[in-house]
Amino acid sequence: MTPRDASDDSRWSNLERPPLNVAALRRGLVREGGLWREVEVVQRTGSTNTDLVDLATEGEASEGSVLVAEEQTAGKGRLDRQWTAPPRSGLFFSVLLNPAEVPAARWGWLPLLTGVAVATGLSRAAGIDTALKWPNDLLVTVGGEERKAGGILAERAGDEGVVVGVGINVTLREDELPVPQAGSLALAGAVSTDRDPLLRGVLRSLEEWYGRWRAAAGDPVVSGLQETYAAGCATLGRVVRAELPGERTITGEAVAIDGDGRLVLATGEGVQEPVGAGDIVHLRPA
């Protein structure tokens, strides 16, 4: 894999936010028979997802490729939103997966699987409680308030691949947050904000969950994914508003995650309606 790199003359200018140690990351993650084959760190790029999708499409990256950026200038979120943060203040990375053993109809579980893996990995490595907002947000608690500290975006890469991108705010201070509703691991009281062990912990957790899911041919019940996601999902049990494509909205109580990974809403009309895509707004605390 040959990532598109850009030099950064200020690489060592902020010693409170040291650069990632790519050699140590490779030693800790790349092993015979393991999922992760390559780990590359670039100083600055527009979007690791865009870069890795391009590399995969051109045949220059294979399953298990990991591309990490110290800074993203055009990081992508859902619904064409941008994800920005100061250099080396977070973890911004994408991975290439090729779940050939899994029917394509079940690939929609990959963002939810990644959410479970990220939450599990951060719990172990950062000693912090997190929650998942359906379908792709990582939540932390700052001063008794629920805030978004991370996001996940999955994109197809050709006919056989999926690139999953993750962005996690690690050391952002209050005055650096892009919006008041954002948070970071540091603001939430993480016991560690050392990005090297955090990234290793998240990627090891992702390898574990992906292997379990793939071995079950993507079955969310057999793999335990559906139950685990539901247990950590802060959206369930709340009244929410689903803002759907075509400017349609649904308001109801989030009552379940179905077998396709969709959020099931019980509306005031007594109808249970599954939502497969859209923006979810929490209206009532759990």
Side-chain angles (χ1 to χ4, degrees), residues 4 80 85 106 160 167 223 234 256 273 275 279:
R4 295 158 176 76
D80 296 323
R106 289 174 168 169
E160 300 180 346
S223 64
E273 185 158 353
V275 175
D279 207 16

Side-chain angles (χ1 to χ4, degrees), residues 181-257:
Q181 298 80 20
S184 69
L185 303 187
L187 290 174
V191 298
S192 172
T193 56
D194 185 338
R195 293 182 305 142
D196 282 280
L198 293 180
L199 181 56
R200 287 196 302 269
V202 167
L203 287 173
R204 286 169 180 162
S205 180
L206 180 54
E207 179 177 14
E208 177 184 342
W209 272 103
Y210 179 65
R212 187 183 305 178
W213 176 75
R214 189 166 58 176
D219 189 310
V221 176
V222 173
S223 64
L225 178 58
Q226 184 174 3
E227 180 182 8
T228 304
Y229 185 89
C233 181
T235 304
L236 292 179
R238 283 182 153 148
V239 174
V240 304
R241 182 175 66 250
E243 299 174 350
L244 308 178
E247 300 186 354
R248 179 174 171 242
T249 64
I250 304 172
T251 299
E253 182 181 357
V255 295
I257 304 294

Side-chain angles (χ1 to χ4, degrees), residues 1-2 38 51-52 55-63 65 96:
M1 180 173 68
T2 306
E38 296 181 88
D51 290 351
L52 196 50
L55 290 167
T57 302
E58 295 164 8
E60 296 181 23
S62 58
E63 180 173 56
S65 296
L96 176 58

Side-chain angles (χ1 to χ4, degrees), residues 96-184:
L96 176 58
L97 304 174
N98 179 11
E101 305 89 339
V102 177
R106 289 174 168 169
W107 289 12
W109 274 98
L110 279 170
L112 282 67
L113 181 154
T114 304
V116 168
V118 169
T120 303
L122 290 179
S123 176
R124 295 170 181 166
I128 191 170
D129 289 331
T130 61
L132 300 169
K133 178 186 174 188
W134 188 91
N136 72 331
D137 289 348
L138 179 78
L139 305 178
V140 296
T141 301
V142 179
E145 180 185 10
E146 203 172 62
R147 297 195 194 179
K148 177 179 175 179
I152 297 159
L153 179 67
E155 298 183 81
R156 290 293 292 265
D159 294 331
E160 300 180 346
V162 179
V163 168
V164 182
V166 178
I168 304 167
N169 292 337
V170 177
T171 60
L172 268 76
R173 301 182 296 269
E174 198 76 48
D175 62 345
E176 295 176 314
L177 298 174
V179 293
Q181 298 80 20
S184 69

